[in-house]
Amino acid sequence: MRRSHKFVCKCAGRDATLRERYVRSKGPRMTSIPSNVDQIDLTAGSVLLRWCSAILLVILSACGAIAQSSQSASPFGPPLSGSGDIHRIVLKRSLLISTTSPPTPVDDSAGFAIPEGAAEPAEVFEGTLTLKDTGLTGSFSLLADIFSLVSNGDSPWKHLPAAPIQFVQRGSHLIPVQQGLVITGSPVWNYIIGPGRVWQEREDDGYARAAFPFALIQRNQNCVHNGEMTFLFSNTRKPNISTVYYQITQETCYPMKFNMWGTISATYTPGPIANAQTIAANQAQEFSHRMPRKPLSELGRDFKTSGIDVTAFLAAYKRKEDVTTYGVVVGGTNYTTECPTRFGEYAFCDEMRLPSYSIAKSVFTGVALMRLGELYSRDMYAELIKNYIPQSKEGGNWDATTFNNASDMATGNYNLLGYEADEDSPAMDAFLVDEGYEAKLQDAFAIHKQFATPGTRWVYQSSATFVLMQAMNAYLQKKRGSSADLFNMVRDDVYVPLHVSQGGLTTIRTENSPTGAPSGYYGLFFIKDDVAKIGNFLNNANGVVNGIQVLEPLRLKEALFRAPAPAELGVSIEDSNPTSLLGKPGYGGPAVPGSRRYAHGFWGRYVSTQEFPQFSSNFWIAFMSGYGGNIVALLPNGVTFYSFSDGNEFPWTGAVSELAKLAPVFK
C-alpha cells in the first residue's frame, strides 16, 4: 500500500500505440443510439439543420408537446446556445498563432474550460493531431523529486513525449480514438488522453477552439500528472491549425511534482477515422451511464437531520493542498469536490485521471480471484502457486502456498519482519524497477531469507501479488486457452458492465507493452466516476452486475469483513506504522487485539467503542488503499468514502465519524 515506488525506468520497451480492444458485456445493454446521430454533418452546412430544428421546436411547443430540437436528442446533449461573444483574458488567438509561451502557467479554468457564451462549433475535427519537436520546447519547474530522477540539464522528463493523437467529434464533444494507456516509446512518459470539447469564439477569426485533458504517466509506474491542451483549427482556412498550448500543474504523485507548460507546433491531418461511429457511440454510452453527481456541500442539505459536517473529512490532513479530490457515494449519488490545481480549478474535473497504486490489489487482483471462484468454484482458491509458476522452484519454499495465501499477503516467504519492511527494501526496489516478465519473477522469488507456514504471517509484498496474478493468469489459460488474459476477463466481465470509463479499461503490463503480462499490484487509472461505481458495487451489490452474479459472494463478504467471525478472516497484522492507513493500535483508547487484518487484497480495521469512544457501536471497516495517500473506505452502512492525495497521509476517522451519522454502521 505505502510502497515508495522508485521511478527508475528501463528503456527496452517497444513503441506500441494500438488501442486495447475490449468486448461488450453479455448482460443487458442500453438502448441503441439512433443511427442518424453519428451521421449528422456538424460543419457550417449544418446551420440550416439547426434553423429547421428551431422552427420545429416552436411548432411542437405550440402544440403542447414536450419540445426538443432534433440535435438535443443527441446522447451528447443539446448544442451550445451561446453567441461566441467572449472576452478572453488568457490564451487568446494572438498567442496561439505565435510561438510565444506565457511566462507562467495560466489559470486552468480560464484557459481550457468551455466558457459561458461559447457557440456551437462550425468545424469538425476528425483526423490526427501530431505534436512537432516535442523535445525542443516548453518550460519546466521542478517542485519535488524525492528520488532525484530529473537532472539539472535538459532531459526527457521536462518534455512531452511524441505520439500522434486521433480524434472524432460529435457536436461540441471531442472524442479520442484511443483512450486508456498509450505506450509512446519515450524512456520516461506514456499518455492517457481524455474526451474534450470544441466551441466557437468570435475573436478566433472563424477558427474553432478545442481543448482536451491528458495525463502524463510515468513509464513502468502509476504516477499521474494531469494537464490539458488547447488549439485552434479549421478545415477551410490556412494554416488549418494553430500552435498547441499545454500545461500540467497537478498530479497524484508523492515522489515527483512539477509544472510543465508551453506552446508547440503541430499538424492537423484531416481524414476519416475507422469505426468513427462506434467510437462516438461508446463515448455516448459511457456519458449516459455516469453516476449522478452532486457537490459534496449538498450532502448535508440532502440529509438534513443527520447533522453531518463535511468539513471534518479533511480536518486531520496536515497538507490539504496535497488532496487531489475526494467524495462520498451514498444512495446511488456521487457527492464530490472539484479538482484544484496550483493554477485554479482543473477544467475537466470529471475526466481527471487518478492512479490506483495498490488499490489494484483489491479491485483487480482481489476481484479477479473472486471472479474465478464464481466461474470455477471456491475450490480453486486452494490451487498451489508452484503448479502454475515453474520459476517458483528458483527461490523459497512454495510447496504449500495457495492462491488464497498469496491474496492474504501470507505466502510464507519473506526477508524482513517489520511493518512493510520487505516492501520498502532494496530487494523490492529491484522488482519494481524491472519491466520484463522473467526479470520480475526472478526478483519476486529472490525474497525468501525467512519462512513461515503459509497463511500464518502477514508480510506485505507487491511481488507476492504479481506472482499471484501470473499464477491466476496461467490457471485461466489452462481453462480457456493460451490467448486468455486475466485483465481482459475482469475488464469484460466486471468493468465494462459497470460502465467504467474507456480510459480505465487498460492496465500497466510487463515489457512496457500493451501485450505484456498484467502487473496486478498497481497500474489502473480511474476517474472519480469509476471509483464511485466500483466502490458502490463492492460495497452494496453482493457481486451482482445487471442481474448476473459475477463475483463469488462469500469471498466478497470475507474481503469486506462481513462474513461470520470477521476477526478470524484473512491474516492478522501484528506490526504497525503510525503514518500508515491502519495506524498504530490505540487511537483514542486501549487497543483491541487482532483489530487490524488483511483479507483477499483488502484491509480490515475493527472499530470498537473501547478504542474509538466517539462511536456507539462496534463494527469492521474494509479499506482499499494506495501509495501516497489514496483511500477507499467501504463502510458497513453502505456508504463509500474516497480520497486521493499525494502527501503520504491516510486520515479516515474524521470522515467515518461523520458518515456514520447517515445510517447505522453496524450490521
Side-chain angles (χ1 to χ4, degrees):
M1 175 196 67
R2 296 180 58 255
R3 174 72 196 116
S4 51
H5 289 153
K6 292 199 173 179
F7 302 96
V8 182
C9 301
K10 291 195 173 179
C11 307
R14 291 170 287 177
D15 181 10
T17 57
L18 293 177
R19 181 187 184 203
E20 285 199 352
R21 178 177 173 268
Y22 71 91
V23 183
R24 283 286 165 192
S25 162
K26 296 181 181 179
R29 301 181 183 180
M30 67 173 285
T31 304
S32 60
I33 299 171
S35 60
N36 68 312
V37 169
D38 291 319
Q39 298 169 358
I40 295 175
D41 180 7
L42 293 176
T43 62
S46 68
V47 172
L48 179 60
L49 173 61
R50 292 197 293 272
W51 180 78
C52 294
S53 298
I55 294 177
L56 178 60
L57 173 64
V58 173
I59 295 173
L60 290 175
S61 297
C63 297
I66 300 175
Q68 62 183 41
S69 72
S70 61
Q71 283 191 330
S72 70
S74 164
F76 293 105
L80 301 175
S81 58
S83 65
D85 190 10
I86 294 161
H87 177 63
R88 176 169 288 278
I89 59 174
V90 297
L91 303 184
K92 295 183 178 182
R93 175 180 174 273
S94 57
L95 184 140
L96 291 179
I97 62 174
S98 72
T99 57
T100 303
S101 295
T104 64
V106 304
D107 180 272
D108 208 278
S109 292
F112 301 97
I114 189 166
E116 185 177 354
E120 184 75 359
E123 299 278 358
V124 173
F125 190 108
E126 182 163 332
T128 304
L129 171 69
T130 304
L131 305 179
K132 300 170 63 178
D133 301 324
T134 56
L136 303 177
T137 60
S139 298
F140 184 91
S141 175
L142 186 64
L143 304 176
D145 184 14
I146 290 176
F147 300 122
S148 301
L149 297 179
V150 182
S151 64
N152 291 331
D154 197 22
S155 80
W157 292 103
K158 300 180 180 181
H159 303 285
L160 298 179
I165 307 169
Q166 291 188 314
F167 294 98
V168 299
Q169 182 183 329
R170 292 297 181 268
S172 64
H173 290 265
L174 188 66
I175 307 165
V177 171
Q178 181 177 358
Q179 298 190 46
L181 190 63
V182 177
I183 306 300
T184 67
S186 163
V188 295
W189 293 126
N190 290 319
Y191 268 135
I192 293 179
I193 308 297
R197 299 299 297 270
V198 182
W199 66 94
Q200 214 82 23
E201 297 182 14
R202 289 186 187 276
E203 295 182 355
D204 288 339
D205 193 30
Y207 282 82
R209 182 175 288 255
F212 63 90
F214 75 99
L216 286 183
I217 309 300
Q218 293 186 8
R219 174 171 169 162
N220 193 35
Q221 299 299 334
N222 216 163
C223 257
V224 172
H225 301 262
N226 284 296
E228 298 108 330
M229 298 188 197
T230 189
F231 57 91
L232 306 177
F233 74 95
S234 171
N235 290 298
T236 58
R237 296 171 178 263
K238 293 183 179 180
N240 67 352
I241 191 169
S242 68
T243 58
V244 173
Y245 177 78
Y246 65 91
Q247 76 175 36
I248 298 166
T249 58
Q250 192 283 335
E251 65 284 308
T252 306
C253 181
Y254 174 62
M256 183 184 290
K257 303 176 190 293
F258 57 79
N259 295 325
M260 184 191 292
W261 73 101
T263 55
I264 189 168
S265 298
T267 61
Y268 165 37
T269 307
I273 296 294
N275 303 314
Q277 292 190 25
T278 300
I279 292 165
N282 289 342
Q283 188 64 65
Q285 187 178 55
E286 179 193 325
F287 283 159
S288 68
H289 283 85
R290 293 240 172 131
M291 183 179 286
R293 180 175 61 82
K294 289 185 177 182
L296 183 64
S297 58
E298 293 189 18
L299 184 62
R301 288 194 287 270
D302 287 353
F303 293 85
K304 295 178 181 178
T305 61
S306 68
I308 191 170
D309 178 11
V310 298
T311 64
F313 290 3
L314 299 188
Y317 279 89
K318 297 176 181 178
R319 291 180 54 86
K320 296 179 178 60
E321 64 271 24
D322 289 332
V323 177
T324 299
T325 192
Y326 63 105
V328 173
V329 184
V330 57
T333 297
N334 185 12
Y335 294 85
T336 188
T337 62
E338 295 303 316
C339 304
T341 76
R342 285 178 288 276
F343 290 83
E345 293 291 337
Y346 191 66
F348 293 91
C349 186
D350 286 348
E351 313 304 329
M352 178 180 274
R353 283 292 150 188
L354 306 168
S356 69
Y357 289 110
S358 292
I359 290 174
K361 293 181 173 79
S362 311
V363 303
F364 175 22
T365 307
V367 162
L369 194 49
M370 296 175 197
R371 179 59 180 151
L372 292 176
E374 178 62 22
L375 289 171
Y376 304 114
S377 91
R378 285 178 57 86
D379 293 342
M380 64 84 52
Y381 304 146
E383 293 284 343
L384 296 176
I385 296 288
K386 69 172 187 177
N387 291 340
Y388 296 92
I389 308 292
Q391 296 89 332
S392 62
K393 61 187 176 184
E394 296 178 4
N397 181 350
W398 295 83
D399 289 345
T401 303
T402 65
F403 287 11
N404 185 65
N405 297 148
S407 182
D408 289 346
M409 290 291 178
T411 68
N413 297 280
Y414 63 97
N415 283 348
L416 303 169
L417 266 183
Y419 186 89
E420 296 192 359
D422 264 358
E423 186 73 357
D424 292 327
S425 69
M428 193 64 68
D429 289 345
F431 166 80
L432 294 169
V433 167
D434 278 327
E435 289 185 351
Y437 176 82
E438 291 295 339
K440 292 186 86 69
L441 280 181
Q442 183 177 357
D443 295 334
F445 291 120
I447 302 174
H448 63 84
K449 292 180 180 178
Q450 300 193 62
F451 180 76
T453 301
T456 63
R457 182 177 291 280
W458 180 84
V459 180
Y460 190 87
Q461 302 164 330
S462 288
S463 57
T465 305
F466 180 79
V467 168
L468 171 62
M469 173 58 57
Q470 308 322 312
M472 289 194 295
N473 209 38
Y475 175 91
L476 183 66
Q477 290 175 351
K478 186 176 180 180
K479 294 288 187 181
R480 296 185 175 181
S482 59
S483 64
D485 180 89
L486 199 66
F487 178 80
N488 293 349
M489 180 198 73
V490 173
R491 180 195 64 194
D492 298 340
D493 294 356
V494 182
Y495 299 160
V496 169
L498 286 175
H499 300 286
V500 166
S501 68
Q502 295 177 84
L505 297 176
T506 58
T507 188
I508 293 176
R509 294 172 177 269
T510 59
E511 276 77 35
N512 188 47
S513 167
T515 61
S519 299
Y521 59 92
Y522 76 148
L524 302 183
F525 302 94
F526 309 121
I527 58 175
K528 290 191 290 185
D529 186 70
D530 299 335
V531 178
K533 285 174 178 171
I534 295 172
N536 192 56
F537 162 67
L538 293 172
N539 205 14
N540 294 297
N542 200 32
V544 175
V545 183
N546 297 330
I548 300 172
Q549 187 75 50
V550 295
L551 304 185
E552 195 267 298
L554 179 55
R555 188 170 183 85
L556 176 57
K557 288 181 179 178
E558 292 171 350
L560 298 177
F561 296 89
R562 297 175 194 169
E568 299 175 7
L569 296 173
V571 181
S572 178
I573 301 172
E574 300 302 328
D575 302 309
S576 67
N577 183 326
T579 63
S580 67
L581 170 75
L582 299 186
K584 63 180 181 179
Y587 261 87
V592 175
S595 61
R596 300 151 66 254
R597 303 188 73 82
Y598 192 90
H600 313 340
F602 291 72
W603 304 80
R605 187 66 161 95
Y606 182 57
V607 177
S608 66
T609 57
Q610 174 179 317
E611 187 176 354
F612 298 85
Q614 66 266 44
F615 293 100
S616 59
S617 60
N618 302 326
F619 57 94
W620 281 86
I621 301 178
F623 291 94
M624 304 182 288
S625 185
Y627 168 68
N630 297 343
I631 305 169
V632 181
L634 307 174
L635 278 65
N637 62 356
V639 177
T640 298
F641 170 73
Y642 62 87
S643 176
F644 284 75
S645 65
D646 57 10
N648 208 28
E649 297 183 82
F650 296 85
W652 51 267
T653 54
V656 171
S657 295
E658 293 301 315
L659 295 172
K661 298 175 181 178
L662 299 180
V665 289
F666 57 89
K667 287 190 176 181

